[in-house]
Amino acid sequence: DVDGRFVFDSHYPLMTSSGTVVFSLDIGDEIDAVAAVTGEEFVAPLRALADDIRVSFDYSITREPASGPPLVIMDEFDENGTQLDSTWARDAFTSYFEAEGISTDVASTGDDNFDSALVSLLSDYSDYEWIIWSAVGLSDVAVQPDDCTVYVAEGYTILLNTRTMEIVNIDEITRSVSWGNDRDSALQSLFSMYGSSVAANMISYF
């Protein structure tokens, strides 16, 4: 960051339980720009110095197994931010868990912002130790020349431990794409893919 510190985010959903993290200084493009003016010989010492700036460490993440069924809240929104009546993403998510022998309960907050939903989550669903809260919406809709429409969905999902008040996992990278001439069929495919993908990222906690 601006203070010269490396930041390590252990909430990255695709991290394995153990491995090695490597921090390095990536200024290759800047050095190449200087070399274009001065020549490689001039920047060679700087390039070697930058390559030597590297720190690595091994890590291991221990996760306590969840007790009791998690509550799954995964609401869907259209391109205007209006909540949809469909539950395709949530159904795909819970089906993925159930196929692995993990039962779930479901609910809806109708909110696309976690901070504003948090109060109701803690007051209305305090019996649950684990809450999986998600909001997914259409981020892009493009009509192609052949009248086939392309839909893109993205959102974010949070795994919350209500006992420790810890956000154990954040998934902000999952996206899904579908296309077709029938909007309902395309959206069903779109949101179902999103739900299954998020479930695959979250299931290791259970």
Side-chain angles (χ1 to χ4, degrees):
D1 59 18
V2 294
D3 297 321
R5 299 175 299 181
F6 290 115
V7 178
F8 173 51
D9 185 2
S10 62
H11 292 314
Y12 182 64
L14 299 183
M15 284 187 67
T16 57
S17 58
S18 62
T20 301
V21 175
V22 178
F23 295 109
S24 61
L25 185 62
D26 182 12
I27 59 172
D29 291 343
E30 289 77 5
I31 294 177
D32 289 342
V34 175
V37 177
T38 65
E40 181 62 32
E41 184 177 355
F42 180 82
V43 300
L46 178 60
R47 193 184 298 277
L49 179 63
D51 289 341
D52 287 340
I53 300 177
R54 182 179 298 266
V55 176
S56 65
F57 65 90
D58 297 330
Y59 73 88
S60 178
I61 299 176
T62 302
R63 296 162 176 163
E64 294 295 329
S67 59
L71 177 69
V72 178
I73 299 171
M74 187 169 286
D75 293 328
E76 302 168 5
F77 299 84
D78 66 14
E79 59 268 44
N80 299 313
T82 302
Q83 184 181 4
L84 300 172
D85 293 331
S86 57
T87 58
W88 292 311
R90 191 181 72 190
D91 293 345
F93 185 102
T94 56
S95 293
Y96 191 105
F97 266 47
E98 289 168 3
E100 297 296 326
I102 302 171
S103 61
T104 59
D105 291 338
V106 298
S108 171
T109 61
D111 202 323
D112 63 356
N113 183 281
F114 177 74
D115 291 336
S116 60
L118 183 58
V119 174
S120 63
L121 290 177
L122 297 178
S123 61
D124 298 341
Y125 306 109
S126 59
D127 291 342
Y128 291 91
E129 179 180 2
W130 296 93
I131 296 177
I132 300 168
W133 181 93
S134 181
V136 53
L138 292 175
S139 63
D140 193 19
V141 178
V143 179
Q144 303 302 304
D146 60 357
D147 292 331
C148 179
T149 304
V150 178
Y151 301 90
V152 179
E154 61 182 347
Y156 67 108
T157 304
I158 291 175
L159 174 60
L160 173 68
N161 185 317
T162 63
R163 302 297 183 261
T164 63
M165 289 303 297
E166 178 187 6
I167 294 177
V168 179
N169 186 283
I170 303 175
D171 182 343
E172 298 177 290
I173 65 173
T174 299
R175 290 174 174 80
S176 58
V177 180
S178 70
W179 56 89
N181 296 316
D182 183 82
R183 179 182 172 93
D184 285 344
S185 296
L187 292 188
Q188 180 176 5
S189 175
L190 181 76
F191 287 122
S192 295
M193 284 189 291
Y194 183 89
S196 295
S197 297
V198 173
N201 293 335
M202 291 286 177
I203 200 165
S204 62
Y205 293 91
F206 298 88

